[in-house]
Amino acid sequence: MDDLRNIPLFPLRAVLFDGGRLPLRIFEPRYMDMIGSCMRKDTPFGVVLIRQGRDARLSADDEQPEIFDVGTEATIIDFNQLEAGMLGILARGGRKFRVHETWELKNHLLMGRVERLPEEPSGMTTADHGPLLDLLRQLLKHPMIGKLELEIDFEDARDLGWRLAELLPIEPEVKQGLLELDRPDERLAALDRLVSRLSA
């Protein structure tokens, strides 16, 4: 546990994977401050899936949502000013982490003491992955997905699993289960079973 660090957390009903793109509309002051700080210091924030509760703080009595303890570092790669004082950002997914402790700042921003998890082992896609590769290529033809300008190595089993897991129209909790897997072959096997059920 030598790699523990403190980072701001952004609880969402979304799961981010390594190399993925996450467009966000920022309007709450706590997140405006967080984004400003991350951009000035060139530091990431953490995206974590909400297990129970909501992301927006609508009143002073609202509590922090309950979150899953595995999330993904996010780095801001683009931003633009939107209407009504909102800020649009595009974040890129990085390393996975495990949350060991959380606390709330005075501005209600959730902070986490997190441990970066080991990088997943690399592996090549094979002929057995043909149907999943074809499915990914079909998904990439969608105009909204095309706008994300994803960089994909179709020969990398990690990339195939990450991109399919984030792009398939499945429940966030299912995506979280896929995120928490440690090996690309396990994730691709789970995706293969999932796609078979969806197409049945």
Side-chain angles (χ1 to χ4, degrees):
M1 294 193 185
D2 296 334
D3 198 22
L4 289 175
R5 64 189 67 192
N6 299 337
I7 63 171
L9 300 178
F10 201 148
L12 294 166
R13 283 297 295 166
V15 178
L16 181 63
F17 290 82
D18 194 334
R21 301 287 193 273
L22 182 64
L24 292 169
R25 290 173 176 261
I26 310 297
F27 60 91
E28 290 189 67
R30 56 178 169 166
Y31 293 128
M32 288 284 199
D33 291 345
M34 180 194 78
I35 295 303
S37 176
C38 288
M39 291 177 67
R40 283 193 306 272
K41 300 175 183 176
D42 193 24
T43 54
F45 61 94
V47 172
V48 285
L49 178 65
I50 294 173
R51 188 189 298 270
Q52 188 172 349
R54 58 190 176 197
D55 54 356
R57 194 175 188 90
L58 303 179
S59 75
D61 297 328
D62 282 352
E63 296 181 354
Q64 293 286 354
E66 181 183 345
I67 60 172
F68 285 85
D69 64 358
V70 173
T72 304
E73 291 181 351
T75 303
I76 301 159
I77 59 174
D78 197 10
F79 70 96
N80 62 302
Q81 199 68 43
L82 303 175
E83 296 177 356
M86 290 195 296
L87 180 68
I89 69 165
L90 182 63
R92 184 184 191 278
R95 284 276 288 277
K96 287 191 297 188
F97 59 78
R98 186 176 303 280
V99 181
H100 287 268
E101 179 187 359
T102 63
W103 66 96
E104 184 178 285
L105 299 182
K106 288 183 179 179
N107 67 350
H108 306 300
L109 182 68
L110 185 65
M111 295 291 296
R113 189 151 179 80
V114 307
E115 170 197 6
R116 277 180 134 195
L117 297 178
E119 289 193 38
E120 295 182 15
S122 60
M124 301 289 286
T125 54
T126 68
D128 292 339
H129 300 134
L132 293 179
L133 286 164
D134 290 342
L135 177 58
L136 178 57
R137 289 189 175 98
Q138 287 298 316
L139 289 169
L140 292 173
K141 293 178 181 178
H142 191 285
M144 293 300 292
I145 294 174
K147 288 181 180 178
L148 296 176
E149 298 181 350
L150 295 169
E151 300 171 3
I152 301 172
D153 182 352
F154 289 94
E155 296 182 351
D156 187 334
R158 294 176 300 182
D159 238 16
L160 174 60
W162 290 331
R163 301 292 77 79
L164 274 178
E166 71 191 4
L167 296 177
L168 282 173
I170 50 181
E171 290 296 313
E173 287 79 8
V174 177
K175 292 177 186 276
Q176 180 70 25
L178 293 167
L179 176 72
E180 294 182 10
L181 294 174
D182 296 325
R183 297 180 56 85
D185 55 345
E186 293 176 344
R187 186 175 296 111
L188 290 175
L191 282 163
D192 200 37
R193 293 191 296 270
L194 180 63
V195 170
S196 295
R197 289 199 299 271
L198 291 173
S199 59

